[in-house]
Amino acid sequence: MKTLHNTIFILLAVVISAILPACIEDGVSTSPADQPEFSTDTLKFGEQFTGDVTVTHRLMVYNRHDKIMSISDISLAEGERSVFRLNVDGQSGSRFSGIEIRPNDSIYVLVSARLNLNDSYDPTIIDEDLNFVTNGVKRTVVLSALAMDVETLTDPVIDTDTRWDADHPRRIYGTLRVEPGTRLTLGPGVTLYFHDKASMQIDGTLIAEGTAEAPVTLRGDRLGSVVGDISFDLMASQWGGVKFSPTSTGNDLKFAEIRNTSSGVAADSTSLTMVNCRLRNSATNALRSNHSDLTAIGCEFAESARSPLLLHGGKAVIAHCTVSNYYLFSAISGALIAAEHTDPDHDDESGAPYLSARIENTILYGSSADLSPKDLTATDITLTNCLLRSNGTDDDRFISCIWGADPLFYTVRADYIFDYRLHPDSPAIEAAGASSVALPDTDFYGTPHPSRRSVGAYEAKADS
């Protein structure tokens, strides 16, 4: 019996000796050298409207050590006065204590903000320290936001000639309407932010006086990122779009960017001239021209669920444009340029003249077909000195074209990069022919055009 007792004692000693180091190893660290690591040293909120609650940003806090880490204090430098709010382990507030992270594990700290009014339209940088105290050592993550006051307009009606300059941003709820016989002029650098389902109805005239240094921008009002570094700027359907009605005349847009729409830009039986404009990220077409007189020079039409450029009857001159499509949010339907009401076999029964389109020095390259219909024999559509993705040969409708060539954009869809400027070895560089229209001196980005221009909207990237 004594031998049995001795054996049990020895076994217990062996078990305890095995367990004890593990218990010690899993204990709570008290060493000042054991500190948390963070997913970033500065949590950037970017531009945010004052008075609005921001989207929630996520900070990861890591314990890279083999013992439990107890963070004795997590707090905002401004305490209860802070414009930022925290959520730690499902609890909201501005200060937390005794937060434990198991060995080689992590926690989320969720941060949102409601930024105070500036009492001016000048953007204000708001930086605040988020402090973590662990084993007597304080470490800090900076919370940074750019607060912008904005003028909010609900269903504004322009019924006298009006000019808006870039003295402050404007946010539109409902429909911004320009009445017949009335002109709205947007000066250099004007940005209009449209709320969900807001839109712009032009029954009069719209003039955009953007420049390469200060373009005019029409966009959705969601700021910041969807997740990580993926900006809301890449998302369509954030607002309705722009519609030019039949009573609208003399519309002239220069260096304007229109993005994030549900229905893009629609020109219905009107006249529209665009020079160095970017129309992108639409849940339908980037531009639909319906029985209109359209001139587009140096423009980009890209990222849409349907054809980026739809020409339905009317007249169109498309010169030195880039038409591409790598839309992210659904399958793409339609060719890069869709032509409708083109001949007796494609008649919409409107009695209006068939489409007459001259497309020159333009790039058609993307993840869908170049052109619809493919057979232009019976139409009044010509493509001259254009670069196309498809293989083919010149004829009476395709003249001096570059067939089956890659223009070498900087666009990388998988990395959410949509940059249609050209790499230095692009076959489009200095490959343009003579133009039938007057051309601007620079592209949208301000890069000067050489005497022998490139095909498409852009020259080689300036920093190449």
Side-chain angles (χ1 to χ4, degrees), residues 290-305:
N290 183 61
H291 296 296
S292 292
D293 188 351
L294 170 68
T295 300
I297 303 170
C299 295
E300 173 191 318
F301 304 99
E303 275 64 80
S304 59

Side-chain angles (χ1 to χ4, degrees), residues 175-179 199-204 241-245:
T175 301
L176 166 58
R177 188 179 301 276
V178 179
E179 294 286 83
S199 62
M200 194 172 192
Q201 175 73 35
I202 310 299
D203 298 324
V242 183
K243 183 177 180 180
F244 296 90
S245 75

Side-chain angles (χ1 to χ4, degrees), residues 213-268:
E213 298 74 24
V216 168
T217 303
L218 310 182
R219 53 159 295 172
D221 68 351
R222 300 185 74 177
L223 304 174
S225 298
V226 182
V227 62
D229 293 329
I230 303 174
S231 168
F232 277 112
D233 277 347
L234 298 177
M235 296 188 67
S237 298
Q238 293 186 46
W239 61 290
V242 183
K243 183 177 180 180
F244 296 90
S245 75
T247 62
S248 175
T249 59
N251 300 289
D252 190 3
L253 310 183
K254 292 183 175 65
F255 289 93
E257 183 168 21
I258 304 174
R259 61 181 189 261
N260 318 127
T261 63
S262 297
S263 54
V265 175
D268 185 9

